[in-house]
């Protein structure tokens, strides 16, 4: 897979320079490239306890992204997923440690423990007061003698960092750090492995599966489970955390392992708030990318039973954008719609034949979801099928609220339902189509003429004409041919939809931004949906 890098040998040094250059002067780096890569606070005066952490690169924004007021004093950066050298760690310690001493915060991996540990001993030989704590928050492998250090490390950085910023002594800061380590529990899940720069991707996790309890260096998890969705994913993680924690109030740190979108992470946060953990989670950090595993498409949850004082330390101000802050978590607050926006629905009425007819049409759109999305991916954003299928599902759910026995009111009710449930321009245009068709029917127009009146109003509003490569190319000829029966209308709709695959310049919709080569041979998804509907009706 292509990556935005120059040479893999230079990716860490160039990234460190990028962090420093973009810091607005807050940060600096020690000399000694490329073997010594240490990011330090540029304003540090050694009057307070220094906090030094680090490890292999590839976990950004950890660790350099957390260097600043109220958190780390220095971060020592190794190669990707590799511990920094003893000399690099020692350089960081010597650069920032004064009379107040230094706390090393180390994740529990053999290389990090050895290199940071030896550097600490050498620093002590220089007469410096150095303490070291080792984070071991991962609960994925309960039989492992040495649990791994993962995203729970961020609790230690923030709480210890806030205490150091207050001017607390080394003994106090180290004691607080050890308390956090003892109480923190973490576990992660991913749908994919990470991509190490310059190396082929390991295709270990099959489609339809997720890996529970994998490490932040891409290490295999405790098990692979069938992936059904966000709810089940959070439930699996919550189950492990429930067994490893008590029912006291906790803070949850929801961490993006690098490849999940912000949208997905918000869904995971929602599911966490609805999960069995909700009763014991009072505050949340994130969701955000804090300790990543390059581009791993996964997440982790860390829990810590913070007391009131520790929550205030987590809330203590820091200018670092990488720290998302801590917030109380609670129910979703719902505010009533303003006057005039609460819809006035027509009186529902039953009509079995109409209900079956509408349900059949909706099922056609639901069945076509993947095909229409694939078509739309060629000329748009790949969501036409999902948009139409979502509207179809909403109509089926609303069937008992619709005036099925009054076709005039039914058109208007469908338009109202689509305006509320169907997003994008297509939702607005179809809502206009059905509302105007209802107006036409109420004025005495026959069904076909009422639908044509709706089409005319939709074209006036949207501006699309035949030949512009939209659903109009199938809908207009179908309505014209409807006077000759549904088979003729279906044939006309199919002909119009197929013709859009030969139109190399769209004049409306997102396809208008796509070049001719990408459009050629691919029908417009809206026109294809119309053709499938009429073909269903003609059967």
């Amino acid at each position: 897979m292509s990556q935005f890098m120059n040479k893999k040998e230079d990716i860490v040094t160039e990234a460190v320079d990028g962090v420093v250059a973009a810091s607005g002067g807050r940060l600096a780096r020690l000399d000694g490239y490329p073997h010594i890569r240490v990011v330090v606070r540029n304003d540090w005066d050694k009057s307070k306890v220094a906090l030094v952490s680090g490890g292999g690169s590839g976990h950004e924004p950890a660790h350099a992204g957390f260097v600043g007021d109220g958190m780390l004093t220095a971060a020592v950066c190794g190669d990707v997923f590799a511990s920094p050298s003893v000399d690099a760690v020692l350089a960081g310690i010597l650069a920032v440690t004064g009379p107040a001493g230094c706390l090393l915060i180390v994740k529990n991996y053999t290389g990090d423990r050895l290199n940071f540990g030896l550097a600490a001993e050498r620093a002590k030989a220089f007469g410096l007061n150095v303490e070291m704590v080792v984070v071991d928050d991962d609960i994925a492998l309960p039989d492992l003698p040495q649990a791994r250090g993962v995203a729970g490390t961020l609790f230690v950085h923030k709480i210890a960092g806030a205490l150091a910023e207050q001017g607390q002594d080394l003994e106090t800061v180290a004691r607080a750090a050890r308390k956090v380590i003892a109480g923190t529990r973490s576990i992660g899940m991913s749908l994919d492995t990470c991509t190490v720069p310059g190396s082929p991707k390991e295709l270990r996790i099959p489609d339809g599966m997720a890996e529970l309890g994998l490490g932040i260096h891409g290490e295999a998890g405790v098990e692979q489970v069938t992936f059904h969705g966000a709810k089940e994913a959070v439930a699996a993680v919550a189950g492990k955390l429930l067994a490893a924690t008590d029912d006291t109030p906790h803070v949850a740190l929801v961490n993006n392992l690098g490849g999940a979108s912000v949208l997905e992470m918000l869904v995971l946060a929602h599911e966490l708030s609805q999960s069995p953990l909700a009763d014991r989670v009072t505050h949340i950090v994130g969701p955000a990318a804090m300790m990543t595993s390059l581009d791993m498409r996964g997440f982790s949850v860390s829990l810590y039973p913070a007391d009131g004082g520790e929550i205030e330390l987590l809330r203590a101000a820091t200018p670092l954008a990488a720290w998302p802050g801590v917030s109380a978590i609670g129910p979703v607050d719902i505010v009533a719609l303003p006057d005039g926006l609460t819809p006035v629905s027509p009186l529902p009425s039953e009509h079995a034949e109409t209900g079956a007819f509408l349900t059949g049409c909706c099922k056609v759109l639901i069945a076509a979801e993947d095909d229409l999305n694939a078509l739309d991916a060629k000329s748009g954003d790949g969501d036409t099928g999902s948009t139409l299928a979502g509207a179809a599902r909403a109509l089926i759910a609303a069937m008992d609220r619709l005036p099925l026995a009054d076709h005039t009111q039914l058109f208007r009710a469908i338009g109202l339902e689509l305006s509320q449930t169907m997003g994008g321009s297509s939702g607005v245009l179809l809502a206009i189509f059905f509302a105007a068709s209802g107006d036409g029917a109420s004025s005495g127009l026959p069904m076909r003429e009422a639908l044509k009146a709706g089409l005319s109003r939709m074209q006036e509003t949207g501006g699309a004409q035949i030949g512009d490569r939209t659903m109009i190319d199938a809908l207009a000829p179908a309505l014209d041919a409807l006077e000759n029966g549904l088979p003729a209308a279906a044939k006309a709709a199919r002909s119009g939809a197929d013709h859009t695959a030969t139109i190399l310049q769209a004049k409306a919709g997102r396809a208008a931004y796509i070049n001719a080569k990408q459009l050629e041979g691919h029908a417009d998804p809206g026109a294809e949906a119309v053709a499938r509907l009429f073909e269903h009706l003609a059967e």
Side-chain angles (χ1 to χ4, degrees):
M1 185 179 85
S2 297
Q3 294 171 301
F4 289 109
M5 66 177 182
N6 297 310
K7 294 190 299 183
K8 66 177 182 180
E9 296 82 5
D10 298 334
I11 191 169
V12 175
T13 55
E14 292 174 355
V16 167
D17 277 347
V19 168
V20 174
S23 70
R26 290 187 304 104
L27 304 178
R29 65 165 171 83
L30 298 186
D31 202 355
Y33 264 22
H35 306 297
I36 292 175
R37 292 167 295 208
V38 180
V39 176
V40 297
R41 287 178 58 172
N42 217 5
D43 61 347
W44 190 244
D45 61 8
K46 299 186 180 182
S47 63
K48 299 175 182 177
V49 172
L51 265 62
V52 177
S53 189
S57 297
H59 305 302
E60 291 70 26
H63 300 84
F66 295 106
V67 175
D69 294 3
M71 291 192 76
L72 299 180
T73 317
V76 190
C77 307
D79 289 329
V80 172
F81 295 165
S83 175
S85 67
V86 174
D87 282 356
V89 177
L90 181 60
I93 297 170
L94 296 177
V96 298
T97 304
C102 172
L103 178 67
L104 298 183
I105 302 171
V106 183
K107 296 187 299 303
N108 195 21
Y109 298 95
T110 301
D112 287 349
R113 286 202 320 273
L114 292 175
N115 286 292
F116 277 81
L118 181 53
E121 294 306 313
R122 290 176 59 183
K124 291 174 184 177
F126 282 101
L128 298 178
N129 188 9
V130 179
E131 292 272 0
M132 187 172 94
V133 296
V134 179
V135 186
D136 56 357
D137 54 312
D138 187 22
I139 61 168
L141 304 168
D143 297 328
L144 197 68
Q146 296 279 349
R148 299 173 295 202
V150 287
T153 308
L154 276 303
F155 282 134
V156 186
H157 288 172
K158 186 64 179 69
I159 289 174
L163 287 170
E165 195 68 40
Q166 291 175 3
Q168 300 292 335
D169 61 23
L170 179 58
E171 181 182 356
T172 301
V173 175
R175 183 170 61 248
R178 292 188 177 99
K179 178 176 181 287
V180 175
I181 292 167
T184 301
R185 302 290 183 269
S186 302
I187 191 168
M189 173 182 278
S190 184
L191 301 176
D192 202 359
T193 54
C194 57
T195 308
V196 178
S199 300
K201 188 179 183 71
E202 182 187 4
L203 303 176
R204 185 179 71 234
I205 306 175
D207 289 342
M209 302 294 287
E211 198 160 84
L212 179 63
L214 72 177
I216 57 171
H217 306 106
E219 308 100 315
V222 62
E223 62 178 323
Q224 290 190 358
V225 297
T226 303
F227 177 71
H228 297 290
K231 182 182 293 294
E232 290 79 5
V234 171
V237 166
K240 297 291 185 181
L241 289 169
L242 281 168
T245 56
D246 58 31
D247 59 0
T248 57
H250 285 69
V251 178
L253 186 146
V254 183
N255 176 55
N256 184 345
L257 285 168
S261 66
V262 173
L263 192 65
E264 291 168 284
M265 292 304 300
L266 293 172
V267 171
L268 292 168
H270 162 72
E271 291 300 342
L272 179 68
S273 73
Q274 305 298 308
S275 75
L277 279 176
D279 290 341
R280 65 182 64 174
V281 174
T282 60
H283 292 76
I284 187 170
V285 178
M290 290 172 274
M291 184 168 289
T292 65
S293 182
L294 293 169
D295 59 351
M296 186 181 287
R297 192 174 182 81
F299 72 100
S300 65
V301 178
S302 303
L303 293 186
Y304 176 61
D307 59 31
E310 289 167 321
I311 288 175
E312 289 308 308
L313 293 172
L314 290 170
R315 283 177 169 157
T318 176
L320 302 175
W323 176 251
V326 63
S327 303
I329 189 168
V332 175
D333 193 13
I334 300 174
V335 179
L337 285 172
D339 291 343
L341 286 182
T342 302
V344 179
S345 301
L347 291 175
S349 57
E350 295 184 8
H351 194 272
E353 292 82 359
T354 302
F357 172 85
L358 276 180
T359 301
C361 291
C362 289
K363 287 182 177 179
V364 170
L365 295 177
I366 293 169
E369 180 174 1
D370 290 343
D371 290 346
L372 297 179
N373 279 344
L375 269 180
D376 191 36
K378 305 292 184 182
S379 59
D381 53 3
D383 68 348
T384 292
S386 297
T387 300
L388 291 171
R393 293 185 183 100
L395 275 178
I396 291 175
M399 204 65 69
D400 60 351
R401 303 195 308 269
L402 296 178
L404 299 176
D406 184 344
H407 291 180
T408 297
Q409 293 302 317
L410 179 58
F411 281 138
R412 290 171 171 162
I414 291 174
L416 181 62
E417 191 70 33
L418 293 180
S419 71
Q420 295 172 342
T421 60
M422 190 174 176
S425 57
S426 55
V428 176
L429 291 171
L430 286 174
I432 291 170
F433 171 76
F434 281 104
S437 297
D439 291 344
S442 67
S443 67
L445 291 177
M447 177 76 70
R448 172 174 169 271
E449 297 306 318
L451 292 172
K452 292 193 73 172
L455 172 63
S456 178
R457 186 78 58 80
M458 182 170 67
Q459 288 182 274
E460 289 173 10
T461 305
Q465 303 298 322
I466 291 179
D468 286 353
R469 205 179 191 280
T470 68
M471 70 172 70
I472 303 296
D473 289 295
L475 184 57
L479 294 181
D480 286 339
L482 191 58
E483 63 180 342
N484 298 319
L486 280 171
K491 183 177 179 181
R494 170 52 58 198
S495 177
D498 290 347
H499 179 65
T500 61
T502 70
I503 300 174
L504 303 185
Q505 182 178 3
K507 297 180 182 177
R510 287 188 175 156
Y513 309 116
I514 305 298
N515 64 47
K517 187 175 181 181
Q518 289 174 278
L519 294 177
E520 186 175 9
H522 305 294
D524 174 75
E528 177 65 23
V530 171
R532 293 193 185 196
L533 271 178
F534 274 96
E535 287 170 341
H536 162 74
L537 296 176
E539 290 177 356

